Amino acid sequence: LKNTNIMNQEIAELIIGHEKVAHVQAANPLDHALLILIKSGYTAVPVLDTHYRVQGQISKAQVLDTILGTERIEMDKLHEHTVESVMSEKVPKMNVDDNFGKALTLSINHPFVCIEDDEGAFVGLITRRAILVMVHREFQS
Amino acid sequence: LKNTNIMNQEIAELIIGHEKVAHVQAANPLDHALLILIKSGYTAVPVLDTHYRVQGQISKAQVLDTILGTERIEMDKLHEHTVESVMSEKVPKMNVDDNFGKALTLSINHPFVCIEDDEGAFVGLITRRAILVMVHREFQS
Ligand SMILES: Nc1ncnc2c1ncn2[C@@H]1O[C@@H]2COP(=O)(O)O[C@H]3[C@@H](O)[C@H](n4cnc5c(N)ncnc54)O[C@@H]3COP(=O)(O)O[C@H]2[C@H]1O
Ligand SMILES: Nc1ncnc2c1ncn2[C@@H]1O[C@@H]2COP(=O)(O)O[C@H]3[C@@H](O)[C@H](n4cnc5c(N)ncnc54)O[C@@H]3COP(=O)(O)O[C@H]2[C@H]1O
């Protein structure tokens, strides 16, 4: 690894590439989003627009909160709402050239961080797990 | 902090005490567990028995998976199942006297780690967030 101080290290090797990231589109209906969330097993996934830019993130809790009011969950009501209408826009983002220190700081309050290139296109994500693996390696040596 | 090497440091100051931890009992019905999970906002919480020992953990996904087969989610079906019948027994545990290195290693694959005393009673939990805050402080100095 190129740099003695871990905070300045590059993040490229920590990134899960966009082709391996479960995600949904902002304009998708909620029943589609719930299906992706259940099938992937992830608590929350990134929301992209049609130009592959990160718009936010959505979790199972957000999808279910919109319809849990009634006695039973009406699956057909899910189809009437869009991801955009319930997603959270507060998703951490950083640039592919930012350093490990920035990824570590953002991961304190977020289970994953979205990575963008210079044009703002989605490159992939860095998880707390990847940060912790790197930290563990650093402390071991 | 008592020790120069972070891996040997004590974990006491990182623990969220049991009185602040949302949890459920193994014998509780699932509708009660879903209520605790939704109200607390947490993805997963520890499952304890009547002697305050950790039996496992349960997530919203596990509760919903048991009833999502049908066209609509029948809330009354939730009452017929217990937490014990769907919870995951694979929950990381460590002793209150174990060091930071052990907490870091366990947090790589688990969002939280349950802390027990010498008699096996639940003391509280350590989250990935608390580990990352400590790591960030160490790298800053
Ligand atoms: N299929 C699986 N196999 C093995 N371990 C699994 C797993 N699913 C979850 N885990 C473990 O559980 C942790 C929490 O997952 P969660 O889905 O709540 O939270 C995840 C999820 O919301 C998101 N995420 C991770 N990988 C993703 C991917 N390929 N696509 C979309 N979102 C992803 O990032 C969060 C943090 O991920 P991280 O790996 O740090 O932490 C993961 C990982 O340690
Ligand atoms: N009310 C809130 N206020 C501020 N930030 C919040 C929050 N709820 C969640 N977060 C943030 O989201 C992260 C993931 O929460 P999650 O509920 O998936 O996953 C949580 C949850 O399953 C469990 N957990 C945390 N605190 C708990 C508590 N007091 N009782 C029971 N379980 C808890 O440990 C996991 C990891 O927690 P961690 O703090 O590392 O990581 C948290 C924290 O950074």
PDB file of all heavy atoms in Angstrom, chain A residues 1 6 17 20 29 40 48 66 68 71 78-79 111 121 129-131:
ATOM      1  N   LEU A   1       0.860  -1.194   0.000  1.00  0.00           N
ATOM      2  CA  LEU A   1       0.000   0.000   0.000  1.00  0.00           C
ATOM      3  C   LEU A   1       0.887   1.233   0.000  1.00  0.00           C
ATOM      4  O   LEU A   1       1.847   1.327   0.744  1.00  0.00           O
ATOM      5  CB  LEU A   1      -0.925  -0.063   1.231  1.00  0.00           C
ATOM      6  CG  LEU A   1      -2.030  -1.128   1.044  1.00  0.00           C
ATOM      7  CD1 LEU A   1      -2.625  -1.559   2.357  1.00  0.00           C
ATOM      8  CD2 LEU A   1      -3.117  -0.620   0.124  1.00  0.00           C
ATOM      9  N   ILE A   6      -2.437   5.503   6.942  1.00  0.00           N
ATOM     10  CA  ILE A   6      -3.647   4.880   6.386  1.00  0.00           C
ATOM     11  C   ILE A   6      -4.693   5.918   5.976  1.00  0.00           C
ATOM     12  O   ILE A   6      -5.411   5.710   4.996  1.00  0.00           O
ATOM     13  CB  ILE A   6      -4.233   3.851   7.381  1.00  0.00           C
ATOM     14  CG1 ILE A   6      -5.397   3.079   6.758  1.00  0.00           C
ATOM     15  CG2 ILE A   6      -4.631   4.501   8.688  1.00  0.00           C
ATOM     16  CD1 ILE A   6      -5.879   1.882   7.539  1.00  0.00           C
ATOM     17  N   GLY A  17     -17.991  -2.796  -7.003  1.00  0.00           N
ATOM     18  CA  GLY A  17     -18.351  -2.197  -8.293  1.00  0.00           C
ATOM     19  C   GLY A  17     -19.858  -2.151  -8.527  1.00  0.00           C
ATOM     20  O   GLY A  17     -20.583  -3.037  -8.037  1.00  0.00           O
ATOM     21  N   LYS A  20     -22.160  -5.094  -9.096  1.00  0.00           N
ATOM     22  CA  LYS A  20     -22.486  -6.036  -7.998  1.00  0.00           C
ATOM     23  C   LYS A  20     -23.373  -5.394  -6.948  1.00  0.00           C
ATOM     24  O   LYS A  20     -23.614  -5.980  -5.880  1.00  0.00           O
ATOM     25  CB  LYS A  20     -21.180  -6.501  -7.328  1.00  0.00           C
ATOM     26  CG  LYS A  20     -20.353  -7.444  -8.192  1.00  0.00           C
ATOM     27  CD  LYS A  20     -19.387  -8.269  -7.311  1.00  0.00           C
ATOM     28  CE  LYS A  20     -18.042  -8.515  -7.989  1.00  0.00           C
ATOM     29  NZ  LYS A  20     -17.028  -7.517  -7.556  1.00  0.00           N
ATOM     30  N   PRO A  29     -41.959   1.701  -9.010  1.00  0.00           N
ATOM     31  CA  PRO A  29     -43.008   1.587  -7.987  1.00  0.00           C
ATOM     32  C   PRO A  29     -42.473   0.836  -6.760  1.00  0.00           C
ATOM     33  O   PRO A  29     -41.489   0.088  -6.867  1.00  0.00           O
ATOM     34  CB  PRO A  29     -44.093   0.769  -8.697  1.00  0.00           C
ATOM     35  CG  PRO A  29     -43.380   0.011  -9.755  1.00  0.00           C
ATOM     36  CD  PRO A  29     -42.208   0.856 -10.165  1.00  0.00           C
ATOM     37  N   SER A  40     -32.450  -9.370  -2.339  1.00  0.00           N
ATOM     38  CA  SER A  40     -31.015  -9.126  -2.094  1.00  0.00           C
ATOM     39  C   SER A  40     -30.652  -9.402  -0.640  1.00  0.00           C
ATOM     40  O   SER A  40     -29.511  -9.716  -0.318  1.00  0.00           O
ATOM     41  CB  SER A  40     -30.670  -7.665  -2.414  1.00  0.00           C
ATOM     42  OG  SER A  40     -31.233  -6.784  -1.446  1.00  0.00           O
ATOM     43  N   LEU A  48     -30.892   5.225  -7.861  1.00  0.00           N
ATOM     44  CA  LEU A  48     -30.244   5.945  -8.962  1.00  0.00           C
ATOM     45  C   LEU A  48     -31.295   6.560  -9.879  1.00  0.00           C
ATOM     46  O   LEU A  48     -32.459   6.111  -9.884  1.00  0.00           O
ATOM     47  CB  LEU A  48     -29.365   4.976  -9.766  1.00  0.00           C
ATOM     48  CG  LEU A  48     -28.346   4.121  -9.002  1.00  0.00           C
ATOM     49  CD1 LEU A  48     -27.559   3.235  -9.968  1.00  0.00           C
ATOM     50  CD2 LEU A  48     -27.385   4.995  -8.198  1.00  0.00           C
ATOM     51  N   THR A  66     -44.911   3.151   4.807  1.00  0.00           N
ATOM     52  CA  THR A  66     -45.927   3.873   4.052  1.00  0.00           C
ATOM     53  C   THR A  66     -47.267   3.133   4.045  1.00  0.00           C
ATOM     54  O   THR A  66     -48.289   3.704   3.775  1.00  0.00           O
ATOM     55  CB  THR A  66     -45.515   4.051   2.586  1.00  0.00           C
ATOM     56  OG1 THR A  66     -45.233   2.763   2.064  1.00  0.00           O
ATOM     57  CG2 THR A  66     -44.306   4.936   2.453  1.00  0.00           C
ATOM     58  N   LEU A  68     -48.096   0.523   6.556  1.00  0.00           N
ATOM     59  CA  LEU A  68     -48.371  -0.283   7.747  1.00  0.00           C
ATOM     60  C   LEU A  68     -49.524   0.257   8.579  1.00  0.00           C
ATOM     61  O   LEU A  68     -49.900  -0.316   9.571  1.00  0.00           O
ATOM     62  CB  LEU A  68     -47.121  -0.390   8.620  1.00  0.00           C
ATOM     63  CG  LEU A  68     -46.409  -1.731   8.495  1.00  0.00           C
ATOM     64  CD1 LEU A  68     -45.060  -1.670   9.159  1.00  0.00           C
ATOM     65  CD2 LEU A  68     -47.209  -2.850   9.126  1.00  0.00           C
ATOM     66  N   GLU A  71     -54.911  -2.526   9.100  1.00  0.00           N
ATOM     67  CA  GLU A  71     -54.933  -3.836   9.765  1.00  0.00           C
ATOM     68  C   GLU A  71     -54.046  -4.834   9.024  1.00  0.00           C
ATOM     69  O   GLU A  71     -53.351  -5.612   9.601  1.00  0.00           O
ATOM     70  CB  GLU A  71     -56.395  -4.297   9.794  1.00  0.00           C
ATOM     71  CG  GLU A  71     -56.662  -5.568  10.573  1.00  0.00           C
ATOM     72  CD  GLU A  71     -56.125  -5.514  12.002  1.00  0.00           C
ATOM     73  OE1 GLU A  71     -56.266  -4.455  12.659  1.00  0.00           O
ATOM     74  OE2 GLU A  71     -55.520  -6.511  12.440  1.00  0.00           O
ATOM     75  N   LEU A  78     -48.821  -0.760  -2.707  1.00  0.00           N
ATOM     76  CA  LEU A  78     -47.397  -0.505  -2.946  1.00  0.00           C
ATOM     77  C   LEU A  78     -47.169  -0.030  -4.364  1.00  0.00           C
ATOM     78  O   LEU A  78     -46.305   0.795  -4.642  1.00  0.00           O
ATOM     79  CB  LEU A  78     -46.574  -1.779  -2.707  1.00  0.00           C
ATOM     80  CG  LEU A  78     -46.250  -2.138  -1.266  1.00  0.00           C
ATOM     81  CD1 LEU A  78     -45.565  -3.489  -1.207  1.00  0.00           C
ATOM     82  CD2 LEU A  78     -45.353  -1.079  -0.640  1.00  0.00           C
ATOM     83  N   HIS A  79     -47.973  -0.576  -5.291  1.00  0.00           N
ATOM     84  CA  HIS A  79     -47.766  -0.261  -6.708  1.00  0.00           C
ATOM     85  C   HIS A  79     -48.082   1.213  -7.020  1.00  0.00           C
ATOM     86  O   HIS A  79     -47.558   1.766  -7.974  1.00  0.00           O
ATOM     87  CB  HIS A  79     -48.644  -1.191  -7.574  1.00  0.00           C
ATOM     88  CG  HIS A  79     -48.214  -1.187  -9.017  1.00  0.00           C
ATOM     89  ND1 HIS A  79     -47.025  -1.769  -9.421  1.00  0.00           N
ATOM     90  CD2 HIS A  79     -48.758  -0.628 -10.116  1.00  0.00           C
ATOM     91  CE1 HIS A  79     -46.872  -1.583 -10.719  1.00  0.00           C
ATOM     92  NE2 HIS A  79     -47.907  -0.894 -11.177  1.00  0.00           N
ATOM     93  N   PRO A 111     -23.970   2.921   7.179  1.00  0.00           N
ATOM     94  CA  PRO A 111     -23.527   1.555   6.875  1.00  0.00           C
ATOM     95  C   PRO A 111     -22.829   1.427   5.525  1.00  0.00           C
ATOM     96  O   PRO A 111     -22.030   0.507   5.338  1.00  0.00           O
ATOM     97  CB  PRO A 111     -24.816   0.744   6.932  1.00  0.00           C
ATOM     98  CG  PRO A 111     -25.701   1.502   7.850  1.00  0.00           C
ATOM     99  CD  PRO A 111     -25.369   2.955   7.579  1.00  0.00           C
ATOM    100  N   ALA A 121     -21.184  10.211 -11.956  1.00  0.00           N
ATOM    101  CA  ALA A 121     -21.824   8.908 -12.218  1.00  0.00           C
ATOM    102  C   ALA A 121     -21.483   7.924 -11.091  1.00  0.00           C
ATOM    103  O   ALA A 121     -20.388   7.981 -10.519  1.00  0.00           O
ATOM    104  CB  ALA A 121     -21.369   8.351 -13.555  1.00  0.00           C
ATOM    105  N   ARG A 129     -18.037  -2.883   6.421  1.00  0.00           N
ATOM    106  CA  ARG A 129     -17.283  -4.128   6.498  1.00  0.00           C
ATOM    107  C   ARG A 129     -15.905  -3.967   5.851  1.00  0.00           C
ATOM    108  O   ARG A 129     -14.884  -4.346   6.416  1.00  0.00           O
ATOM    109  CB  ARG A 129     -18.065  -5.258   5.828  1.00  0.00           C
ATOM    110  CG  ARG A 129     -17.382  -6.593   5.902  1.00  0.00           C
ATOM    111  CD  ARG A 129     -18.161  -7.733   5.279  1.00  0.00           C
ATOM    112  NE  ARG A 129     -17.453  -8.968   5.573  1.00  0.00           N
ATOM    113  CZ  ARG A 129     -16.315  -9.292   4.991  1.00  0.00           C
ATOM    114  NH1 ARG A 129     -15.800  -8.496   4.064  1.00  0.00           N
ATOM    115  NH2 ARG A 129     -15.686 -10.412   5.325  1.00  0.00           N
ATOM    116  N   ALA A 130     -15.869  -3.364   4.674  1.00  0.00           N
ATOM    117  CA  ALA A 130     -14.590  -3.178   3.958  1.00  0.00           C
ATOM    118  C   ALA A 130     -13.659  -2.269   4.754  1.00  0.00           C
ATOM    119  O   ALA A 130     -12.441  -2.511   4.809  1.00  0.00           O
ATOM    120  CB  ALA A 130     -14.856  -2.580   2.579  1.00  0.00           C
ATOM    121  N   ILE A 131     -14.228  -1.241   5.384  1.00  0.00           N
ATOM    122  CA  ILE A 131     -13.430  -0.313   6.215  1.00  0.00           C
ATOM    123  C   ILE A 131     -12.837  -1.080   7.403  1.00  0.00           C
ATOM    124  O   ILE A 131     -11.657  -0.964   7.726  1.00  0.00           O
ATOM    125  CB  ILE A 131     -14.334   0.824   6.741  1.00  0.00           C
ATOM    126  CG1 ILE A 131     -14.972   1.587   5.581  1.00  0.00           C
ATOM    127  CG2 ILE A 131     -13.580   1.718   7.715  1.00  0.00           C
ATOM    128  CD1 ILE A 131     -14.316   2.788   5.100  1.00  0.00           C
TER     129      ILE A 131
END
